[in-house]
Amino acid sequence: MSLREQIEQRRMAQSANGSIASAKPGKSEKQPSTPPVRFLRIMKMNKRCWELPWGSFHGVGFTPGAESADDDSKYERLHLVFSRHEVAVRGYNLVGVVIAIESNTFRKLCETTEKYTDATTPVILAVEINVKTQ
């Protein structure tokens, strides 16, 4: 299944569960005003923390996991590119992260352990941050 199909499938599931409000034709709903997300907070298991501004965000790449003999390839991967940083993420169920980035609601990436996982929430197992040199 392609990334676009996974994203669309997740959106339809959220809509069916009532988590996404849709306006009725002819009626305008007032959306609660929430301040825009200005920074992405990244927190590692060793308590290190970064805040990267969304204003310097250039894009995201997604690589789905594949079951094979190589244990490392079963994880999904994200590659986030900022003007001065590159962030590599390894985990499971990362399509939800792509959806949140796309909808401008993504606030933080926190490393966690596999024992606190469920089948639908994104699980961040490892985050690597590289500072670009110019």
Side-chain angles (χ1 to χ4, degrees):
M1 179 181 300
S2 73
L3 173 61
R4 186 167 301 287
E5 290 170 333
Q6 289 177 10
I7 290 171
E8 200 56 41
Q9 184 179 24
R10 176 86 44 106
R11 279 191 186 140
M12 288 174 29
Q14 287 174 341
S15 180
N17 291 337
S19 357
I20 298 177
S22 59
K24 294 181 178 161
K27 292 189 177 186
S28 64
E29 291 184 10
K30 288 220 174 193
Q31 296 293 327
S33 62
T34 56
V37 179
R38 297 181 62 191
F39 293 93
L40 170 63
R41 174 174 283 173
I42 301 171
M43 297 174 9
K44 294 187 58 78
M45 294 285 284
N46 65 3
K47 311 266 188 214
R48 292 193 68 190
C49 181
W50 291 263
E51 287 197 352
L52 303 179
W54 281 115
S56 68
F57 179 68
H58 292 286
V60 62
F62 174 78
T63 305
E67 296 294 331
S68 72
D70 179 16
D71 189 44
D72 198 37
S73 69
K74 70 180 180 178
Y75 301 112
E76 295 175 343
R77 298 180 189 288
L78 289 178
H79 183 81
L80 289 85
V81 179
F82 291 83
S83 59
R84 293 189 176 187
H85 297 84
E86 290 186 3
V87 180
V89 179
R90 180 174 51 96
Y92 299 108
N93 305 319
L94 299 181
V95 172
V97 173
V98 175
I99 292 169
I101 289 171
E102 186 179 81
S103 65
N104 296 322
T105 59
F106 195 61
R107 295 184 183 279
K108 62 183 173 179
L109 276 171
C110 300
E111 282 183 341
T112 187
T113 61
E114 289 188 70
K115 64 182 177 180
Y116 300 111
T117 64
D118 74 25
T120 58
T121 25
V123 177
I124 311 299
L125 298 174
V127 177
E128 183 179 320
I129 300 173
N130 295 314
V131 178
K132 293 181 188 177
T133 56
Q134 295 179 359

